[in-house]
């Protein structure tokens, strides 16, 4: 199975799971985030990062009610680890940093905090709360932090019940363009190891 087939299969199989306390599914949330990135004229790697930013939620096996049970699955790390060999760090890093970007935005932008949904405020606590001001400087020294912040703002808006947006197949050209040259070997090795 190719990497892109595996991604489509994952969203077909597990994308109908609810998006933690929001009125949209995981797949709807992913597609709305990608659509906002595309509408905002983001470059293809950032559109792909937006589409796949929560893939860690579909890869982990902790169950849909983890946040309710007070568990942080560190889905951003699970997702980034899976994405790196397939797409490289310019896509996996914004994904890895998208939770820290929420904590960062809450520290520097009071309007952003005020717009968080109740479920997002709840998960913020589990994820370490608002970032300390001294840590915001550290965050800004990481590669791809600006992309993570852009992604995070779309992430927060991508929770509109019933919104019609393009399907996942719409992003096949961007996904193909962003694949690492040896990505198919990486996916074969990952399958062989597991
Ligand atoms: Fe998200």
């Amino acid at each position: 199975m190719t990497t892109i087939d595996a991604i489509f299969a994952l969203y077909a199989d597990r994308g109908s799971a609810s998006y933690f306390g929001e009125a949209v599914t995981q797949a709807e949330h992913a597609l709305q985030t990608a659509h906002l990135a595309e509408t905002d004229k983001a470059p293809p790697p950032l559109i792909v990062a937006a589409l796949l930013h929560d893939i860690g939620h579909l890869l982990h096996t902790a169950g849909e009610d983890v946040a309710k049970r007070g568990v942080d699955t560190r889905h951003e790390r699970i997702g980034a680890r899976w994405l790196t060999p397939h797409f490289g760090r310019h896509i996996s890093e914004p994904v890895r940093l998208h939770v820290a970007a929420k904590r960062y935005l809450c520290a520097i932008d009071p309007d952003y905090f005020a717009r968080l949904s109740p479920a997002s405020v709840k998960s913020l606590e589990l994820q370490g709360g608002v970032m300390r001001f001294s840590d915001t400087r550290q965050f800004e020294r990481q590669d791809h932090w600006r992309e993570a912040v852009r992604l995070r703002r779309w992430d927060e808006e991508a929770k509109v019940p019933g919104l019609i947006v393009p399907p996942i197949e719409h992003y096949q050209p961007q996904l193909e363009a962003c694949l690492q040259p040896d990505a198919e070997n990486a996916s074969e090795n990952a399958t062989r190891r597991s």
Side-chain angles (χ1 to χ4, degrees), residues 19 26 29-30 33 50 53-54 57 75 98 151-152 154-156 158-159:
Y19 180 64
Q26 289 285 347
H29 175 64
T33 312
H53 77 279
D54 277 338
H57 281 315
H75 74 283
H98 84 277
L151 197 167
R152 188 71 224 188
W154 301 318
D155 187 358
E156 227 53 64
K159 301 172 179 179

Side-chain angles (χ1 to χ4, degrees), residues 119-188:
S120 203
V121 171
K122 165 113 179 120
S123 60
L124 175 68
E125 282 167 36
L126 290 176
Q127 291 155 345
V130 177
M131 193 175 274
R132 283 187 313 201
F133 197 71
S134 53
D135 291 341
T136 60
R137 295 286 162 264
Q138 181 74 25
F139 178 76
E140 290 169 356
R141 280 199 284 271
Q142 308 206 59
D143 289 343
H144 303 292
W145 74 273
R146 287 178 202 279
E147 288 84 358
V149 166
R150 283 187 82 187
L151 197 167
R152 188 71 224 188
R153 290 190 184 276
W154 301 318
D155 187 358
E156 227 53 64
E157 303 302 320
K159 301 172 179 179
V160 182
L163 189 71
I164 305 292
V165 292
I168 196 163
E169 292 78 13
H170 172 78
Y171 300 99
Q172 182 146 357
Q174 288 99 322
L175 286 162
E176 276 170 6
C178 293
L179 270 181
Q180 294 283 92
D182 54 353
E184 299 312 334
N185 292 338
S187 92
E188 268 174 39

Side-chain angles (χ1 to χ4, degrees), residues 33-101:
T33 312
H35 182 61
L36 286 165
E38 191 169 48
T39 309
D40 218 4
K41 303 205 175 352
L46 194 49
I47 295 173
V48 168
L51 179 69
L52 303 178
H53 77 279
D54 277 338
I55 195 167
H57 281 315
L58 305 186
L59 293 166
H60 80 70
T61 51
E64 280 176 43
D65 61 339
V66 278
K68 231 183 276 167
R69 288 191 276 119
V71 177
D72 177 15
T73 59
R74 310 303 298 258
H75 74 283
E76 71 278 19
R77 291 184 182 199
I78 297 170
R81 217 177 296 135
W82 191 88
L83 290 168
T84 302
H86 299 289
F87 293 103
R89 292 183 75 243
H90 61 305
I91 286 172
S92 66
E93 279 300 282
V95 171
R96 186 178 69 81
L97 293 174
H98 84 277
V99 171

